[in-house]
Amino acid sequence: MSQTALLRLEALQKNNARPDWVNHDLYRLLCKEDLLVAAYERIKSKPGNMTPGTDGHTLDGSSMDVVRDIIRRLRDESFQFNPSRREYIPKANGKMRPLGIPSPRDKIVQEAIRMVLEAIYESPKGPTFLPCSHGFRPGRGTHTALREFKGKWSGITWIIEGDIKSCFDEIDHHVLISLLRKRIADERFLSLIWKGLRTGYLWKKERHGSFIGSPQGSVCSPILANVYLHELDRFVEELRKKYEKGRKRADSPEYICISSRRRALLRGSGGVWTPEVKDFTRRMRSMPSKDFQDPDFVRLKYIRYADDWIVGVIGPRHLAETVRNEIRSFLRDRLKLELSEEKTRITHARTEEAFFLGTRLGIGRSHTAKVSVKQLPGSRPFKVRTTGWLPTLKAPIRKLVRRLHDKGFCDGDGYPQSKRYWVGFEVEHIVNLFSSVNRGLLNYYRFARNFGRMTRIQYILQF
């Protein structure tokens, strides 16, 4: 990549660290030869680029003549995206998911657009997107989202599981362009994005228009979806400021009473740990020192991965219902989206489990105190206890076995069976296929509290 294009992208990153910065003259950057070459280099080795689009071309055999032709058509604004080829693939719930296969040469322009948008919204000097967003972002993913739950959601009472109905298919183009205009004041650049949104697709040799939704398979669709749903992130942040109250939880009256009686016993025994003192100590360690039902302490937590999101509430159930209803109204009125009623529910984190990113989430149900010794740098060792209010993450073993059954690895009761249509493969290839499935599942759920139960999955795939 030439120094000119690189410096321009770096300047965009630096300027867009300011959340109120408005960008001009981006279309000329797209017409730079070196930027398009860099875009080609980024996508040339990715799978699927040897699949021809509706124009019959692939990235194979691309040359500088192809890049210069794209630049010529961009400069006179005659460039048009080809309609993507529509295919359908099965989903886990039995439905079909639409998949768009765009022209690989169109992907060069899409990747260039994505690089510019990433410099604007994902500036390493200060990204526009909030830390609660984890989907389709550099250095973030499902594990960072789950790690945030595990590290910051202790003491949560209610979990709102949110799912937006057909989110990527229902994105309103007018709303999306209006959101982009907040940071981009270049109508030619926005017009090119508009062309990509409205290009449509071919299905059974018939062309269909796309008047809503983000193009399936487009390289820049993920970041456009994040721009769109960033408004939801900001709205939940406003709800957090609106409803949160209290500096800290009140002390538990029961804990204070037992602690006072224990101190009195210690004074009366001259500091000797009598059986009564030991009993009070055991009781203190088995209960939280704070009042988890404190009405004057309210907190909201929020994590989003693409169109899946969860909100954690420390407070009464009616507050969780209010938050859910306000989010539903915001999505409907502002973003023209609807919540999926069957997938959006409120669970009690202490007694039930939520399901997010293929993982069972909850707050520890154990009433047995656990005491461990910790030591911070430069300090003396000290004891830390937990009383069952820490987040827990578990692998959904039954669902995984059911998925293996759907894929033909086992019968309905979870007993291993052969993959008959793999019989013709070489032995080494068969072993690698089974091992790849096993490694993928074990690596994904390596954080799970019930990781030991993953031996059931390993047994099915091994035998």
Side-chain angles (χ1 to χ4, degrees):
M1 190 174 187
S2 76
Q3 195 71 12
T4 304
L6 178 63
L7 290 175
R8 181 67 199 280
L9 283 180
E10 287 183 350
L12 281 178
Q13 292 175 346
K14 181 178 180 181
N15 292 333
N16 284 280
R18 293 171 47 187
D20 58 343
W21 182 264
V22 179
N23 299 272
H24 299 79
D25 209 18
L26 299 176
Y27 194 80
R28 288 180 60 190
L29 179 58
L30 287 181
C31 297
K32 289 189 175 295
E33 184 176 285
D34 298 321
L35 181 64
L36 292 176
V37 170
Y40 166 79
E41 291 291 334
R42 287 195 177 196
I43 67 174
K44 68 177 182 180
S45 300
K46 293 184 178 180
N49 287 328
M50 292 305 295
T51 304
T54 54
D55 59 358
H57 293 295
T58 68
L59 280 183
D60 189 34
S62 297
S63 64
M64 290 304 299
D65 291 336
V66 173
V67 173
R68 294 188 183 105
D69 180 63
I70 292 174
I71 292 174
R72 177 185 60 78
R73 289 187 289 152
L74 284 173
R75 283 176 175 166
D76 62 20
E77 299 185 43
S78 63
F79 181 86
Q80 297 290 338
F81 292 99
N82 293 297
S84 61
R85 181 158 57 87
R86 175 64 61 90
E87 299 289 345
Y88 288 88
I89 58 176
K91 297 171 65 175
N93 58 7
K95 298 180 180 179
M96 302 298 287
R97 183 192 304 277
L99 179 65
I101 304 175
S103 167
R105 295 188 180 185
D106 286 352
K107 288 184 180 179
I108 297 176
V109 179
Q110 294 172 359
E111 175 64 17
I113 294 173
R114 191 202 63 79
M115 291 168 66
V116 174
L117 291 175
E118 186 174 83
I120 294 172
Y121 291 98
E122 291 282 14
S123 169
K125 303 183 184 300
T128 299
F129 299 141
L130 300 180
C132 57
S133 172
H134 293 265
F136 310 125
R137 298 188 60 189
R140 290 171 173 259
T142 54
H143 281 177
T144 61
L146 294 171
R147 191 181 303 126
E148 181 175 341
F149 173 83
K150 186 175 183 179
K152 299 181 180 180
W153 283 49
S154 60
I156 288 293
T157 309
W158 304 97
I159 298 178
I160 308 171
E161 302 173 59
D163 184 87
I164 302 173
K165 187 184 298 183
S166 303
C167 176
F168 296 101
D169 296 331
E170 298 294 331
I171 288 178
D172 188 281
H173 294 169
H174 295 277
V175 174
L176 175 59
I177 295 298
S178 68
L179 295 175
L180 290 170
R181 281 198 175 102
K182 292 182 179 181
R183 304 295 300 274
I184 300 172
D186 186 338
E187 289 303 317
R188 291 200 299 170
F189 185 81
L190 295 176
S191 176
L192 185 63
I193 293 178
W194 189 272
K195 287 180 182 180
L197 294 172
R198 290 297 179 96
T199 188
Y201 61 92
L202 285 182
W203 170 242
K204 294 184 178 179
K205 298 183 179 180
E206 293 184 9
R207 182 164 184 169
H208 300 264
S210 54
F211 302 105
I212 59 172
S214 181
Q216 296 285 345
S218 172
V219 176
C220 50
S221 284
I223 193 168
L224 290 176
N226 271 339
V227 171
Y228 202 80
L229 293 175
H230 174 62
E231 298 302 301
L232 173 62
D233 302 343
R234 294 177 57 199
F235 177 72
V236 176
E237 179 65 17
E238 292 173 4
L239 291 180
R240 187 187 66 80
K241 296 177 181 178
K242 174 181 176 181
Y243 289 115
E244 283 192 353
K245 61 180 180 179
R247 291 184 57 197
K248 61 179 182 178
R249 283 190 172 97
D251 294 329
S252 168
E254 184 181 3
Y255 183 88
I256 292 176
C257 178
I258 293 176
S259 177
S260 300
R261 294 175 66 183
R262 176 180 174 275
R263 283 198 301 269
L265 286 172
L266 277 173
R267 285 196 299 268
S269 64
V272 178
W273 279 51
T274 64
E276 291 82 4
V277 172
K278 292 181 181 179
D279 181 61
F280 276 111
T281 302
R282 179 185 55 77
R283 291 171 61 185
M284 286 175 59
R285 287 177 175 175
S286 66
M287 65 177 64
S289 61
K290 300 296 182 180
D291 181 7
F292 279 84
Q293 305 299 326
D294 182 7
D296 296 321
F297 182 82
V298 175
R299 290 290 185 270
L300 294 184
K301 307 286 186 179
Y302 172 69
I303 299 174
R304 180 178 64 82
Y305 184 92
D307 59 337
D308 291 330
W309 52 268
I310 53 174
V311 174
V313 178
I314 299 177
R317 180 182 173 89
H318 68 78
L319 175 59
E321 293 173 348
T322 300
V323 170
R324 179 198 58 191
N325 294 337
E326 290 198 35
I327 291 175
R328 178 189 289 119
S329 299
F330 173 80
L331 289 171
R332 182 185 63 244
D333 301 336
R334 180 71 179 91
L335 299 181
K336 315 299 183 192
L337 298 173
E338 290 187 22
L339 280 184
S340 174
E341 295 296 336
E342 63 272 13
K343 295 182 180 179
T344 301
R345 65 192 189 105
I346 299 175
T347 59
H348 188 266
R350 184 77 169 171
T351 59
E352 303 174 280
E353 288 182 329
F355 194 74
F356 181 61
L357 299 180
T359 307
R360 294 156 49 200
L361 309 181
I363 299 297
R365 295 165 181 77
S366 173
H367 295 282
T368 303
K370 296 180 180 179
V371 180
S372 60
V373 178
K374 290 190 176 181
Q375 183 174 11
L376 298 176
S379 69
R380 297 174 58 187
F382 59 94
K383 290 184 177 181
V384 177
R385 69 187 180 90
T386 62
T387 52
W389 283 91
L390 294 181
T392 61
L393 300 93
K394 298 180 181 178
I397 304 299
R398 291 183 180 178
K399 287 190 176 184
L400 294 178
V401 172
R402 197 156 53 241
R403 283 177 56 190
L404 292 179
H405 168 60
D406 294 338
K407 298 291 184 181
F409 291 101
C410 62
D411 61 19
D413 296 323
Y415 290 99
Q417 63 185 21
S418 63
K419 294 274 286 185
R420 293 186 177 91
Y421 59 88
W422 285 2
V423 170
F425 296 159
E426 295 290 335
V427 173
E428 183 179 0
H429 185 45
I430 294 174
V431 172
N432 286 335
L433 287 172
F434 275 99
S435 297
S436 65
V437 177
N438 187 42
R439 284 196 305 271
L441 292 173
L442 294 182
N443 285 336
Y444 184 82
Y445 289 106
R446 64 185 183 271
F447 57 81
R449 184 176 182 179
N450 61 341
F451 186 74
R453 294 190 60 198
M454 292 293 290
T455 53
R456 180 64 183 171
I457 307 301
Q458 189 166 2
Y459 166 78
I460 292 173
L461 295 171
Q462 183 174 353
F463 289 98

